[in-house]
């Protein structure tokens, strides 16, 4: 009877344990969805209005320099500027894409794994089982 009670207690503890981890994951998942939606909306708005701003800048620079001998240089200068801005944008985008998702869930699961390994409740076999 004691084994059955121990197993029942262990099962209840495991369910509670995984329930809290699932709750943590659910909270972080909803936060990530909101963050992604916000970033997507702002990115579209920024791209839309920056596109119009760059278009107006191009037209203004070209109109200003059109009747001068510097019109070719003005076009090349605009091209160099936009390439530089695009390079900075790509670098920033790569930085943001490297941001880790679900950091608290991962940290909690790593702590749990370390706890179970130290307590001897979990053993991980390495190598082939041939």
């Amino acid at each position: 009877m004691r084994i059955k009670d121990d197993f029942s207690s262990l099962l209840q503890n495991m369910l509670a344990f995984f329930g809290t981890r699932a709750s943590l994951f659910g909270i972080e998942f909803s936060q990530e969805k909101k963050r992604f939606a916000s970033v997507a909306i702002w990115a579209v708005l920024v791209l839309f209005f920056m596109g119009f701003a760059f278009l107006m800048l191009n037209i203004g620079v070209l109109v200003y320099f059109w009747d001068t001998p510097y019109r070719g240089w003005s076009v090349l200068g605009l091209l160099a500027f936009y390439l530089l801005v695009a390079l900075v944008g790509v670098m920033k985008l790569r930085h943001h894409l490297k941001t880790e998702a679900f950091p608290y869930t991962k940290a909690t699961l790593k702590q749990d794994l370390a706890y179970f390994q130290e307590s001897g409740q979990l053993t991980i076999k390495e190598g082939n089982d041939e």
Side-chain angles (χ1 to χ4, degrees):
M1 204 56 182
R2 178 164 156 55
I3 294 174
K4 187 176 182 180
D5 291 338
D6 287 345
F7 181 73
S8 176
S9 175
L10 177 65
L11 186 59
Q12 287 176 348
N13 288 339
M14 293 289 282
L15 289 175
F17 173 80
F18 287 116
T20 57
R21 289 350 183 229
S23 296
L24 176 62
F25 177 76
I27 290 168
E28 282 194 321
F29 184 72
S30 68
Q31 289 174 343
E32 287 294 321
K33 281 193 325 188
K34 289 177 185 176
R35 185 180 72 88
F36 178 76
S38 177
V39 166
I41 289 169
W42 282 107
V44 167
L45 283 173
V46 166
L47 287 172
F48 183 74
F49 286 107
M50 287 301 290
F52 278 121
F54 286 143
L55 179 65
M56 296 310 292
L57 176 69
N58 282 336
I59 292 171
V61 168
L62 292 176
V63 165
Y64 183 78
F65 286 107
W66 194 252
D67 287 334
T68 69
Y70 302 109
R71 74 177 135 201
W73 288 109
S74 66
V75 171
L76 290 176
L78 287 172
L79 175 64
F81 174 74
Y82 292 136
L83 287 175
L84 180 65
V85 170
L87 179 64
V88 170
V90 166
M91 291 169 52
K92 285 289 195 180
L93 184 60
R94 288 183 68 194
H95 171 72
H96 286 295
L97 290 176
K98 288 181 183 178
T99 302
E100 186 175 328
F102 306 108
Y104 299 114
T105 300
K106 288 179 181 178
T108 302
L109 291 176
K110 282 181 185 178
Q111 289 173 351
D112 294 341
L113 181 63
Y115 170 77
F116 285 124
Q117 286 177 337
E118 288 173 7
S119 67
Q121 296 178 18
L122 177 68
T123 57
I124 298 175
K125 293 182 180 178
E126 293 183 10
N128 294 337
D129 292 332
E130 294 178 11

